[in-house]
Amino acid sequence: MKLKTILVALSAAVSINAYAQAPIVIKFSHVVATDTPKGQAAERFKQLAEKATNGRVKIELYPNSQLYKDKEELEALQLGAVQMLAPSLAKFGPLGVKEFEAFDLPYIFPTKTALYNVTEGEIGKSLLKKLEPKGITGLAYWDNGFKVMSANKPLRLPADFKGMKMRIQSSKVLDAQMRTLGANPQVLAFSEVYQALQTGVVDGTENPPSNMYTQKMHEVQKHVTVSNHGYLGYAVIVNKKFWDGLPADVRGQLEKAMKEATTFEKAIAQRDNDLAMEAIKKAGKTTIYTLSVKEQAEWRRVLAPVQKDMEGRIGKELIAAINKESAK
């Protein structure tokens, strides 16, 4: 009887020990390819996090909408089905945090320096704080870059957009942008864009070059206009309850890994966009056109009213603060 009691106790101790040793699993889901800046940064974060925690944390990566599409992923995070995402900033508008749609405003960031003044300063921090009532903790801003326009006809002047069916993310600002250009905006999940372009469901879209190239959109788009009219960035976010429940030392190690991964991500984003544009050019299926100074001035003039129109939605003071920071 004593032997049986000892064996049961040993078995329980082994089970408890095994449970204690089981790694903390973080499912990190995103919608783009692994060879994009976001995909590579997610891989880097996995390496850094697992090394920093000595295997106490295991990061499971799910790229290319393997788990969830655009519209599903935020709900999945809030429910705890995944622990980490890196959605585009436009996704937070439909969630009710409309201030993030400021990042979609055309020509609001004249340079990357202006952008980083916002994301790395008090404005960026205060915006991430607004996610907390939604059960979300914001960890970092990841960069992709400035967007180009693509279609099966040249888009050199705003008048060229008239009647075009243009794919956008779900964003009231992007909707207003396309309507201001005379186009008909069509909201589609990122994973569905290639087929929609191929079949003519939409005529064109906007993307940083790295997204366009890795999704092979250039194979079904005859023209690209280097307009740099808008910005596409991401916020790396976690389920707040999960994050707050982590041991403090583990959380600190993950924050350090995220900081290093973010530095890496920003370094490769522009490089990857430049390489993607070269690859698109080399593929020979797409004519690339860069707006002249005069043409870009016309785009800016036509799109300028979008900022004014969105003041009631995003906040007049926030838009003014971003413009002031961008002008430094």
Side-chain angles (χ1 to χ4, degrees), residues 226-246:
V226 182
S227 50
N228 295 330
H229 63 281
Y231 169 73
L232 179 63
Y234 312 106
V236 186
I237 58 174
V238 286
N239 176 287
K240 187 177 187 301
K241 187 178 179 182
F242 169 81
W243 189 250
D244 292 347
L246 289 174

Side-chain angles (χ1 to χ4, degrees), residues 7-49:
L7 288 172
V8 168
L10 282 172
S11 175
V14 168
S15 297
I16 291 167
N17 191 48
Y19 179 78
Q21 295 301 315
I24 298 164
V25 175
I26 296 178
K27 291 182 179 178
F28 187 167
S29 171
H30 63 82
V31 301
V32 298
T34 53
D35 51 352
T36 58
K38 177 162 66 173
Q40 292 175 71
E43 292 279 357
R44 179 61 66 96
F45 172 69
K46 172 182 167 69
Q47 295 165 10
L48 291 167

